[in-house]
Amino acid sequence: MKVFINGQFVPQEDAKISVFDHGLLYGDGVFEGIRSYNGKAFRLQEHLDRLWNSAKAIWLQIPMTKQQMAEAIQEALRQNGIRDGYIRVVVTRGVGTLGLDPNRCSNPQVIIIADKISLYPKEYYENGLEIVTVSTLRNHPAALSPRIKSLNYLNNILAKIEGLQAGCIEALMLNHKGEVAECTGDNIFVVRQGRLLTPPTDAGILEGITRAAVIELARADGYQVLEIPLTKHDVYIADECFLTGTAAEVVPVVKVDSRPIGDGKPGPITRHLMARFHQLTQQETQ
Ligand code: PMP
């Protein structure tokens, strides 16, 4: 595998960063996870915009233009012969001292890894997932905004560990107000009486690119979509529930905290949106 680091493509074994990089020492950096279909990055502009916004929020200057980054991403896919894959873009603060001061860091490091995608097992899409609500709250937006896709993912990892300990591969996180926020690496939607409901940005969530695409698709198909605060109760009494994310795409949820959602099977609107999203990924990457 060839990895892009520091402006060039090098063999995986040579793709290394310093132990003094603040990305490692402090999680000081930002990243993106991007899907490719048919050899083309899906919704690349949206991912680049979010990456640049994350960087801006932490006063990190990405040492290339969006156009250069887009070209490097496509080149990473080409060099590795990846058609349906997953791209990880990481921008670290760069090498600094052992102190926190980001001003003492020199060159931000840009890393692009294009790899095969490890998909969720097919049965999750056919039969749906079971998830649990965990005790780890999503970061308070005033402490570290969940809108920043930063290299510090411990909040999500701690929630993921709780979920895994309960036998679930995804876990539902609440915010500091006790409202539903999102899952550890996916956004959440519920369907009630034919309408789609999903937590708003100010519930303290990452503004998912799959979430935005699904909202667009649902509205285009005539469904009402409301971005409103939700409680666990809203999830328990939903007719349907599903998660969205770059890696997962659209995945049905059939049980939350041991309660079956709807009739305990992936619902019709969820199945419709799974198919529509799949179509969209193919259409946009031809
Ligand atoms: N929330 C979190 C915390 C995530 O890490 C992700 C994955 N990037 C998502 C939601 C889904 O976002 P996207 O659809 O852009 O992958």
Side-chain angles (χ1 to χ4, degrees), residues 102-282:
N103 296 323
R104 301 187 67 181
C105 295
S106 47
N107 301 318
Q109 299 286 294
V110 178
I111 299 160
I112 302 171
I113 308 166
D115 201 356
K116 291 188 275 299
I117 172 96
S118 61
L119 298 168
Y120 276 162
K122 213 164 151 223
E123 65 176 80
Y124 290 160
Y125 295 91
E126 284 161 6
N127 305 327
L129 285 187
E130 173 171 1
I131 61 173
V132 283
T133 311
V134 292
S135 68
T136 303
L137 297 180
R138 194 70 178 98
N139 281 332
H140 193 300
L144 175 57
S145 174
R147 295 172 74 182
I148 303 172
K149 201 163 167 61
S150 88
L151 288 182
N152 194 320
Y153 244 53
L154 266 183
N155 180 220
N156 311 57
I157 290 165
L158 293 179
K160 177 101 181 177
I161 290 168
E162 281 191 78
L164 290 172
Q165 280 168 349
C168 296
I169 56 140
E170 252 301 14
L172 182 58
M173 302 180 77
L174 306 178
N175 67 16
H176 60 283
K177 293 187 265 186
E179 298 161 350
V180 170
E182 61 181 336
C183 290
T184 66
D186 298 293
N187 292 112
I188 185 165
F189 286 76
V190 298
V191 178
R192 181 126 196 262
Q193 292 166 346
R195 295 194 309 190
L196 276 82
L197 314 175
T198 194
T201 304
D202 63 13
I205 60 168
L206 183 78
E207 294 166 290
I209 285 156
T210 320
R211 172 184 181 274
V214 165
I215 291 175
E216 265 173 44
L217 287 173
R219 287 189 176 141
D221 287 348
Y223 294 108
Q224 203 182 351
V225 184
L226 300 177
E227 295 178 57
I228 48 164
L230 298 173
T231 62
K232 279 198 297 188
H233 184 75
D234 294 306
V235 179
Y236 295 159
I237 64 166
D239 302 322
E240 301 181 30
C241 178
F242 61 87
L243 310 181
T244 62
T246 290
E249 301 181 326
V250 180
V251 64
V253 171
V254 291
K255 226 180 212 188
V256 180
D257 300 338
S258 304
R259 294 156 175 84
I261 302 302
D263 63 3
K265 298 197 190 83
I269 296 177
T270 303
R271 283 190 277 111
H272 172 75
L273 290 168
M274 287 166 67
R276 291 284 283 121
F277 183 76
H278 178 71
Q279 264 173 7
L280 182 77
T281 60
Q282 296 304 309

Side-chain angles (χ1 to χ4, degrees), residues 28-30 51-62 91-93 102-103 105-106 108 148:
D28 187 358
V30 294
L51 183 69
W52 256 256
N53 288 339
S54 293
K56 186 170 189 184
I58 68 161
W59 283 272
L60 174 62
Q61 180 83 39
I62 300 177
V91 186
T92 73
R93 184 76 70 183
N103 296 323
C105 295
S106 47
I148 303 172

Side-chain angles (χ1 to χ4, degrees), residues 1-3 10-16:
M1 184 197 291
K2 289 278 182 66
V3 174
V10 299
Q12 175 177 343
E13 312 77 67
D14 300 331
K16 292 179 178 155

